[in-house]
Amino acid sequence: MEKSIFDEQVCRRGTNCVKWDECPYDDVIPLWVADMDFRVAPAIQRALEERVAHGVFGYNIVPESYYEAVIGWFRRRHQWEIRRDAILYTTAVVPAMSCVIKALTMPGEKVLILSPAYNCFFSSIRNNGCEVLESSLLRCQRNNQDSFTVDWQDFEAKCADEKTTLFLLCNPHNPCGRVWTRQELQQMYDICQRHDVTVVSDEIHCELTMPGQCFVPFGTITDRCVVMNSPSKNFNTAGLQIANIICSDPAWRRRIDRAININEVCDVNPFGIVALQAAYNESEEWLDQLCQYLWENYRALCAFAEAHLPQWRVCRLEGTYLPWVDVSAMGMPVDQLADRLLDKAHVWVNPGTMYGPQSGQGYLRLNIACPRSQLMEGLQRIADALPHL
């Protein structure tokens, strides 16, 4: 079989890398934080090298070519027409989320999420003085695989709560791996509209979809929403600190812009600017190859679990590179299981309780965005260690 560019083992240890250098053991295989172990697309690396060669890194403006790259990408890739004046740049999606919550809610109000949910949803909501309101996703079967769906009755009841003013969506969903369909997104919007709840959609994983899946930007459902996106997860550039808030409503946009300045996340670095343009203008083929490689890693995970980890049920992965795995049959609290896998197998995974103390119980989240040989070594270590935990 022909080797892929994504099979390359890139040594990241010793580079002040969170994923590798926070590990307590020198031989840990890190399958935890959402960070890929692949080199960036060649066009991104070239653009950064050219910028470094200039040798001066002072304050910078965001040029029109930046906005053109964003608009062109989403028009071409997702048939979403974004107006130039709707784009607000900032440093990353989590600061963007905090700014939007600050701008569009009042302390004491409730922000609805579908749980389990990315852990920063909880902290961003609480840091802005709001209350987290969870609507737990329901387990279901999709194409004969374990998956998740919205509990529509519960979702509407919680939107109807007079204190609920904002719905924070994750699309594609982290950690459950759903890519929400247009019908589901429309139903979310219709319910929110009935109860005067504002939709804010975190779409940071929007390009990481598996074969047969179609990502639908919430901005193609309605202009009455706020969308947050970034090339960071899709192109492995999180350390370059760049993201965008897309908001068509001028009143909301003024308030969000003010919150960006209050939170002092209004200045971005030159490398994020050039990397975004290289990603969106020149790296589409690399991205398509990446998604195919991730799909093959997921299939390898499923096959290994079926053969060697019979107590593990790998849930259907439609998007992201973060499979959600049901390990409840092991009868061990997942925090304890994750700790033991780290100590005994030297494999680092995330316990599901990070993403909801109740809704995440019984699950682990794995990161499969690494060379396949590394993934398989990690899985083999887990299989070898399980009898001794």
Side-chain angles (χ1 to χ4, degrees):
M1 176 182 279
E2 184 179 349
K3 284 185 72 67
S4 164
I5 58 171
F6 302 106
D7 285 321
E8 180 189 3
Q9 294 274 355
V10 181
C11 180
R12 302 182 66 193
R13 190 171 278 118
T15 62
N16 298 317
C17 168
V18 168
K19 185 176 183 181
W20 287 84
D21 289 334
E22 284 193 0
C23 293
Y25 305 107
D26 288 342
D27 63 342
V28 160
I29 294 180
L31 304 179
W32 65 298
V33 66
D35 178 336
M36 296 193 283
D37 287 324
F38 308 128
R39 293 189 192 277
V40 295
I44 297 174
Q45 186 153 347
R46 284 195 304 270
L48 292 171
E49 288 171 351
E50 289 173 9
R51 185 64 184 85
V52 168
H54 180 262
V56 181
F57 313 115
Y59 299 119
N60 52 264
I61 61 172
V62 175
E64 282 303 310
S65 57
Y66 173 95
Y67 297 98
E68 291 165 3
V70 174
I71 292 167
W73 176 266
F74 284 98
R75 176 190 295 133
R76 183 174 68 253
R77 187 97 175 168
H78 302 295
Q79 297 74 57
W80 181 22
E81 288 291 338
I82 300 174
R83 296 202 321 265
R84 159 69 177 81
D85 64 358
I87 302 172
L88 296 169
Y89 61 81
T90 186
T91 54
V93 164
V94 172
M97 185 190 316
S98 182
C99 291
V100 173
I101 294 169
K102 181 187 290 293
L104 301 184
T105 65
M106 294 290 289
E109 292 179 345
K110 295 180 181 179
V111 176
L112 177 62
I113 63 173
L114 298 173
S115 65
Y118 174 47
N119 50 298
C120 286
F121 277 26
F122 295 88
S123 56
S124 290
I125 293 167
R126 290 170 179 147
N127 287 346
N128 284 284
C130 292
E131 181 181 338
V132 177
L133 184 61
E134 299 178 57
S135 180
S136 296
L137 293 169
L138 297 176
R139 187 82 164 257
C140 69
Q141 289 288 302
R142 294 173 64 83
N143 296 96
N144 298 315
Q145 283 185 283
D146 295 306
S147 186
F148 295 86
T149 188
V150 178
D151 182 339
W152 294 109
Q153 184 174 357
D154 181 70
F155 182 81
E156 178 139 23
K158 285 173 177 169
C159 281
D161 185 327
E162 63 180 11
K163 291 184 67 179
T164 303
T165 57
L166 191 145
F167 166 48
L168 184 56
L169 171 67
C170 194
N171 180 33
H173 189 85
N174 172 17
C176 290
R178 280 299 316 277
V179 175
W180 304 110
T181 66
R182 182 169 293 277
Q183 180 181 359
E184 288 171 315
L185 296 174
Q186 185 67 56
Q187 190 167 352
M188 291 174 194
Y189 178 65
D190 291 343
I191 292 171
C192 287
Q193 275 289 94
R194 281 199 291 272
H195 302 288
D196 197 25
V197 173
T198 302
V199 179
V200 176
S201 186
D202 170 4
E203 300 183 354
I204 195 171
H205 292 276
C206 65
E207 308 304 340
L208 300 171
T209 54
M210 300 298 103
Q213 300 301 317
C214 179
F215 165 74
V216 179
F218 208 95
T220 64
I221 302 295
T222 177
D223 280 345
R224 293 288 295 171
C225 67
V226 179
V227 171
M228 304 170 298
N229 57 40
S230 169
S232 61
K233 289 288 186 272
N234 310 302
F235 292 95
N236 205 28
T237 58
L240 300 181
Q241 296 288 285
I242 195 78
N244 294 296
I245 301 169
I246 315 299
C247 178
S248 295
D249 185 281
W252 289 356
R253 194 166 59 247
R254 281 194 298 272
R255 289 158 61 183
I256 294 168
D257 192 32
R258 178 62 181 150
I260 289 172
N261 282 272
I262 290 170
N263 284 10
E264 297 181 336
V265 287
C266 49
D267 293 319
V268 293
N269 74 74
F271 304 111
I273 295 169
V274 299
L276 178 143
Q277 292 176 82
Y280 287 165
N281 291 337
E282 304 177 71
S283 303
E284 193 161 1
E285 183 179 353
W286 179 92
L287 177 67
D288 291 338
Q289 293 172 3
L290 167 69
C291 288
Q292 183 61 39
Y293 191 87
L294 293 174
W295 170 245
E296 291 165 2
N297 271 5
Y298 172 69
R299 292 177 61 194
L301 164 65
C302 291
F304 187 93
E306 184 175 1
H308 304 288
L309 300 168
Q311 293 177 300
W312 289 30
R313 293 176 65 94
V314 182
C315 296
R316 177 180 170 86
L317 186 69
E318 297 175 350
T320 82
Y321 47 73
L322 303 165
W324 194 233
V325 182
D326 181 351
V327 294
S328 57
M330 295 189 64
M332 182 185 299
V334 288
D335 298 271
Q336 182 181 353
L337 175 58
D339 286 344
R340 290 190 179 181
L341 288 176
L342 181 58
D343 290 339
K344 303 296 184 183
H346 288 194
V347 178
W348 198 348
V349 299
N350 290 124
T353 47
M354 283 184 63
Y355 313 101
Q358 299 304 318
S359 55
Q361 188 57 254
Y363 294 89
L364 296 176
R365 194 190 78 167
L366 274 60
N367 179 347
I368 60 170
C370 60
R372 193 161 305 126
S373 59
Q374 179 178 309
L375 172 65
M376 301 314 294
E377 181 182 349
L379 294 175
Q380 188 62 57
R381 286 190 192 184
I382 290 171
D384 292 343
L386 285 187
H388 310 291
L389 298 184

